Amino acid sequence: KTGKRQDNGKPSPSVQNYLDTVNRFKKTMDDLPVWEIDRTKMDEMFGHWRNRPVSSRTGKRIAPDTSKHLMDTLWAVMIWIDEADDWKWSLPKGAKRIRRTPEQLDSDRGKLRTRRISASTYTPDQLAIIASKLDRFGKMVLGISVNCAMQPAEIGRLEVDDIYREHPETKQDGDWIVFDRPKTHEYGEWLLWPEVAELARWGQSRSRQLGCERIVVGDDGKPWYREDWKNPEVKFSKWWQHKPSESSRGLGVVTRLNRDDPEFPRLTIKYLRKILPNVLRPTHGKEIADLINARKVDRSGRVAGRDTDRYADRLYDKAADALNGLRVHFKPFLQALKSDE
């Protein structure tokens, strides 16, 4: 009842996720009176998820992160019952010592090793190949996602008024996107590469002609990112990575490339936001990468809890210089964005 809600009154994605998890508990766990839950019973309940049962959907043991999330949610339910006035139940003695850490499996070692040594992002040449398969709209989505380290939850909410011909405060020349991340209201600003700026201005003009506030919308004016859907970014995911099924024969962009060349990585669209900070951090340091990520940055452009940010400006000028300096690195990609359809 008190969980965060969207503008349309429906639960936010995070709240809906918790509701779905509770429904999962109802389907898979025993129904018993709350007064029968003692420490032994609680340990059994957590032990079920701690030992990572087989998923009915995949037929494999659930992932450690899934196990941890389920146990955290179950613990939150227990705390809520303990503290609620309507329930005459308290956490049993020793409950806080019940282990809530997922069991590790031998198969995890192989997965972690492969993840560590394999490339986790696309190279400029691979991005150029992807761009060559896209129309102008697709190039705009790809270009802004890479240039601004955005995933669907950000670029899907980007509005026409977030794109500027000069910096709105410093009046510095260039094309800029200045944007507060919707979920956390963290401040971010990005100098656009000329090739991306041209696409962004095209998208801005297109949306205005359609009478839309958002940039990433279909020809019918409907936004690709839909907060009122259970999976708000499903449109992006299908466009990027969809596999044919009985209900849909469409192929996602990277799925098609992977079909033609099995060596071409079929990474999820969320990996696009990793590309820029991965390139910047080794040469420009963590602070510049944080600014590009726009993580833990409040509306004043400061990181909470850092005394330095109380007395000194953050390095936005250097972040812009760093972005500008990467044009050579991303040259194949930017040329592909600029080429005719």
Side-chain angles (χ1 to χ4, degrees):
K1 293 181 179 180
T2 59
K4 181 180 178 181
R5 293 187 177 271
Q6 305 173 70
D7 292 344
N8 59 15
K10 293 184 178 181
S12 68
S14 60
V15 173
Q16 185 60 53
N17 178 269
Y18 282 114
L19 293 173
D20 293 340
T21 300
V22 171
N23 287 330
R24 184 174 184 173
F25 290 156
K26 290 180 179 179
K27 292 178 180 179
T28 57
M29 301 180 71
D30 294 337
D31 185 11
L32 72 161
V34 68
W35 58 82
E36 291 185 7
I37 302 177
D38 55 15
R39 188 187 186 285
T40 301
K41 190 60 183 180
M42 276 188 69
D43 192 33
E44 291 177 6
M45 297 167 71
F46 282 98
H48 173 75
W49 302 113
R50 188 170 62 232
N51 285 294
R52 299 166 55 185
V54 174
S55 167
S56 60
R57 183 175 60 87
T58 65
K60 299 179 181 179
R61 304 276 286 275
I62 62 175
D65 288 346
T66 303
S67 170
K68 183 68 167 61
H69 173 69
L70 290 167
M71 285 191 286
D72 287 346
T73 305
L74 181 59
W75 180 252
V77 171
M78 296 293 185
I79 295 296
W80 175 75
I81 296 174
D82 174 70
E83 296 178 348
D85 295 332
D86 296 340
W87 296 88
K88 304 302 180 182
W89 180 85
S90 299
L91 284 172
K93 185 177 180 180
K96 294 182 179 180
R97 292 197 299 274
I98 292 175
R99 193 159 61 88
R100 303 191 299 274
T101 304
E103 298 290 354
Q104 296 298 313
L105 307 176
D106 289 341
S107 58
D108 295 336
R109 296 173 62 241
K111 292 178 182 178
L112 292 171
R113 181 173 63 248
T114 302
R115 184 173 61 186
R116 177 62 183 266
I117 65 176
S118 63
S120 60
T121 58
Y122 290 107
T123 66
D125 288 330
Q126 290 170 337
L127 289 171
I129 292 172
I130 297 172
S132 69
K133 306 298 182 182
L134 302 175
D135 58 13
R136 182 179 290 181
F137 177 82
K139 289 178 179 178
M140 177 194 69
V141 174
L142 179 61
I144 294 177
S145 296
V146 175
N147 194 159
C148 303
M150 288 185 174
Q151 57 187 352
E154 288 92 37
I155 189 173
R157 291 179 169 118
L158 192 67
E159 298 184 351
V160 293
D161 292 336
D162 295 323
I163 301 173
Y164 299 86
R165 291 296 187 103
E166 65 176 11
H167 195 285
E169 295 182 14
T170 67
K171 306 305 178 184
Q172 183 178 345
D173 289 339
D175 292 272
W176 298 80
I177 284 179
V178 178
F179 179 76
D180 285 356
R181 292 190 182 274
K183 184 177 180 180
T184 56
H185 301 291
E186 291 163 323
Y187 174 83
E189 62 176 57
W190 299 268
L191 177 66
L192 298 180
W193 299 313
E195 296 83 357
V196 177
E198 182 178 344
L199 292 167
R201 289 196 297 269
W202 170 83
Q204 187 182 45
S205 175
R206 172 179 176 269
S207 289
R208 283 174 173 159
Q209 290 175 3
L210 290 170
C212 302
E213 293 183 353
R214 292 191 174 178
I215 292 292
V216 184
V217 296
D219 292 334
D220 57 1
K222 293 181 180 179
W224 271 29
Y225 191 86
R226 300 289 296 272
E227 287 93 339
D228 54 336
W229 290 1
K230 184 176 180 180
N231 182 3
E233 58 194 46
V234 65
K235 186 79 172 179
F236 286 91
S237 300
K238 287 185 175 181
W239 170 72
W240 185 256
Q241 206 185 23
H242 185 64
K243 279 186 173 182
S245 63
E246 294 182 1
S247 59
S248 175
R249 294 185 175 275
L251 272 178
V253 177
V254 295
T255 302
R256 182 178 289 107
L257 287 168
N258 178 259
R259 183 192 61 179
D260 297 338
D261 177 9
E263 296 298 320
F264 195 90
R266 184 174 167 268
L267 304 175
T268 68
I269 193 170
K270 290 185 177 182
Y271 276 79
L272 294 179
R273 72 170 302 274
K274 291 186 174 184
I275 294 172
L276 204 57
N278 270 357
V279 175
L280 282 170
R281 188 174 186 179
T283 53
H284 292 83
K286 181 179 181 297
E287 182 168 359
I288 299 301
D290 282 346
L291 292 178
I292 295 300
N293 280 327
R295 287 291 189 253
K296 298 181 180 178
V297 182
D298 65 22
R299 291 187 177 186
S300 300
R302 296 168 177 160
V303 175
R306 289 189 182 177
D307 288 340
T308 301
D309 289 324
R310 296 173 58 192
Y311 306 108
D313 293 338
R314 303 210 77 200
L315 306 178
Y316 286 109
D317 289 341
K318 289 195 174 183
D321 290 341
L323 276 171
N324 198 39
L326 287 178
R327 289 195 65 204
V328 174
H329 177 80
F330 285 103
K331 184 177 180 180
F333 170 51
L334 297 177
Q335 286 179 334
L337 290 179
K338 195 173 183 179
S339 63
D340 295 334
E341 297 175 18

